[in-house]
Amino acid sequence: MSIKAAKASDRTDAADLHGRPTVEMRRRGACPALAAPMPTGDGLLVRLRPAGGALTLSQFASLARSAAAHGNGILEITARGNLQIRGLRAETVGQLADDIDAAGITVPDGPAIETSPLHGIDPEEISDPAAMEIDLRSKLHDLLASPRLAPKLSLVVDGGGSFGLSALSADIRVVAQSHTDWLVAINGDGETATPISIGPAETAISAVGEILSLLATLGQGRRARDIDPALLRARFPAMDGIRSIASRAAGPLADLHRLEDSKTILGVRPEFGQMRASDLVALLDLAKARGATGIRLAAGRGFFLIGLSADTVPAIQIAAAGHGFSTQPGENSEHIAACAGAGACGSAFYETRTLARRIVAAAPALFDGSLTLHLSGCAKGCAHARPALTLTGSAEGYGLILNGLAADQPDERIAGGRIDSAIERLARSIEDNKDAGESTAACLTRLGATGVSKALRQE
């Protein structure tokens, strides 16, 4: 279905007291697609994934300009490589959709299907995930469109290669095993998902269809984890004998990557996954002038600039840094998940990105890669859905959760004015107590709530 068709169906189904069309609002926890944006503290939020996660530079720039015209000019790339546009209003969502149509951007119906970002151009790719996505959407269209599926149902199609998706958890994983064969697994990431089927594309598509049918039968909101193991084995009796080839985890996103045709791919990561439209447009204009030919959205809150020649890269890297983008691997900010924060979201109690920069400067001991620091302006936890070292904002200050979600009961409460010194004490305690070879995450686990509380209260 095209975006315009989707809008037309929305307008048929919903109108205000004066007969004017309204925008269907999506409940929190659902995926806020164009047809059903989600209310947030800074207006409506729309999440979209272009077909194959691919855009031209002109399309991406058009999307940024539209975000500035119809929203608050803030765009985000999620941990799964999807785009979010913030600060929309009910009357501007349709205008955004019109702009997306005019730019020739295709946004498929149904659940987002994450694919390997360098599909079709990665010489190490095993098989083309973009073609598999097209087949899945074509042959399983009605099942994927079922209203009985969970709103946040997740599907991954991993073609292998340099940027595999083994780190992404999903309800359904379709992973290339050879040029012809695909593995289907459910409920987990590349290591933890349960294999259920292996074979050619037709076999994989049939297996995905079986799982979607099971989920639809179980009822709305059910996920792959809810499928009874006995029922699963009855549907897939050969599943226990499957031997699969694990896909590769993605390397550093923000970095230079060279392809066989001598072209250079530059990985770009907006600071904490968020960018202003004006900064994005400026970077894209320069990249286009220097020969870049395309954009690929990528898991890890970033994107790739495709088609550059090596001699153009230094100037783009300098310009990117000036606009708040990272193009270098290993930066501490990679390990921080921060929501929009106060100033961009009315629900937030503190400026998450300002605090993030202070923490990076004051507490480098936190960032050895063993944990994620989640800075959440309120208890909603929009930026990170998994347990992490979390700072949740509230009217009283901050709640520190050692390994949990933003809505969890804090292990320690910190008054607003004490946050900088508290973080410095926590970092110092980790440095003083960490055993040789021990990670920050392991040290925090060993210290526990009692040890951390003691460290934070020391003067």
Side-chain angles (χ1 to χ4, degrees):
M1 181 186 295
S2 72
I3 294 171
K4 289 180 179 177
K7 287 193 301 172
S9 65
D10 292 341
R11 293 175 182 179
T12 300
D13 293 339
D16 66 14
L17 294 177
H18 303 285
R20 294 188 299 257
T22 62
V23 177
E24 178 192 352
M25 299 302 174
R26 188 67 63 94
R27 70 182 185 280
R28 182 155 228 48
C31 285
L34 270 166
M38 186 175 72
T40 67
D42 57 343
L44 299 179
L45 180 146
V46 159
R47 182 180 302 144
L48 57 92
R49 181 175 178 82
L55 293 164
T56 67
L57 276 77
S58 295
Q59 286 174 332
F60 204 9
S62 294
L63 195 56
R65 293 187 181 99
S66 186
H70 307 307
N72 60 9
I74 295 176
L75 299 91
E76 295 170 327
I77 303 179
T78 71
R80 303 186 72 90
N82 299 316
L83 273 173
Q84 293 187 161
I85 297 173
R86 306 189 66 96
L88 296 160
R89 304 183 304 280
E91 63 270 23
T92 64
V93 172
Q95 296 166 348
L96 172 69
D98 286 338
D99 288 351
I100 291 173
D101 274 335
I105 300 171
T106 301
V107 182
D109 287 353
I113 298 178
E114 282 95 19
T115 55
S116 312
L118 300 185
H119 59 80
I121 57 177
D122 184 348
E124 298 184 39
E125 186 174 72
I126 298 171
S127 196
D128 185 1
M132 173 58 79
E133 178 187 357
I134 291 171
D135 283 348
L136 286 169
R137 292 194 183 278
S138 172
K139 296 175 181 178
L140 303 178
H141 177 271
D142 290 346
L143 279 170
L144 287 168
S146 171
R148 295 182 63 81
L149 294 178
K152 297 194 78 170
L153 184 77
S154 55
L155 294 91
V156 162
V157 181
D158 189 346
S162 304
F163 283 86
L165 302 179
S166 64
L168 282 189
S169 182
D171 289 283
I172 304 173
R173 308 181 62 81
V174 184
V175 183
Q177 303 292 286
S178 69
H179 182 65
T180 56
D181 284 351
W182 296 82
L183 169 78
V184 178
I186 66 168
N187 186 33
D189 58 24
E191 293 185 359
T192 63
T194 301
I196 61 168
S197 173
I198 192 168
E202 294 77 10
T203 301
I205 293 168
S206 176
V208 173
E210 285 278 337
I211 295 299
L212 293 174
S213 295
L214 279 174
L215 292 172
T217 300
L218 289 174
Q220 190 176 38
R222 297 299 183 92
R223 307 291 291 271
R225 60 178 175 266
D226 299 315
I227 299 175
D228 184 274
L231 179 58
L232 193 64
R233 283 180 168 79
R235 294 287 186 101
F236 301 97
M239 59 181 282
D240 290 330
I242 292 175
R243 297 293 178 266
S244 62
I245 302 172
S247 62
R248 187 189 310 179
L253 190 158
D255 203 354
L256 287 175
H257 312 277
R258 300 186 189 279
L259 298 184
E260 289 180 340
D261 62 0
S262 78
K263 290 295 186 182
T264 299
I265 292 173
L266 182 61
V268 178
R269 189 172 49 79
E271 188 180 39
F272 313 118
Q274 188 181 94
M275 52 205 162
R276 293 203 171 271
S278 55
D279 289 318
L280 178 58
V281 169
L283 178 63
L284 293 173
D285 286 347
L286 174 62
K288 186 175 182 180
R290 296 302 177 97
T293 57
I295 297 290
R296 297 294 179 86
L297 303 176
R301 306 181 191 275
F303 60 89
F304 292 106
L305 286 168
I306 308 297
L308 297 167
S309 56
D311 62 332
T312 65
V313 169
I316 294 175
Q317 289 178 308
I318 292 170
H323 289 291
F325 297 91
S326 172
T327 59
Q328 304 290 339
E331 294 192 3
N332 288 341
S333 59
E334 292 179 10
H335 307 296
I336 298 178
C339 70
C345 176
S347 297
F349 288 94
Y350 69 97
E351 294 182 359
T352 54
R353 284 162 170 75
T354 299
L355 180 59
R357 296 183 191 103
R358 297 206 304 265
I359 292 174
V360 166
L366 292 176
F367 303 104
D368 64 351
S370 65
L371 55 74
T372 295
L373 174 62
H374 178 194
L375 301 183
S376 185
C378 70
K380 295 174 185 176
C382 301
H384 194 70
R386 292 186 176 186
L389 177 62
T390 302
L391 272 175
T392 301
S394 70
E396 292 75 36
Y398 302 83
L400 176 67
I401 300 133
L402 293 183
N403 185 31
L405 306 177
D408 290 346
Q409 187 70 20
D411 294 300
E412 183 72 16
R413 296 188 185 276
I414 304 168
R418 294 182 57 240
I419 187 62
D420 286 336
S421 60
I423 292 296
E424 289 176 4
R425 289 192 192 103
L426 178 60
R428 188 166 56 248
S429 177
I430 291 169
E431 290 176 329
D432 292 343
N433 288 280
K434 188 186 290 186
D435 293 333
E438 187 178 33
S439 70
T440 295
C443 182
L444 281 173
T445 299
R446 181 168 54 79
L447 290 174
T450 301
V452 169
S453 178
K454 180 180 177 181
L456 293 180
R457 294 174 191 276
Q458 290 175 345
E459 293 297 337

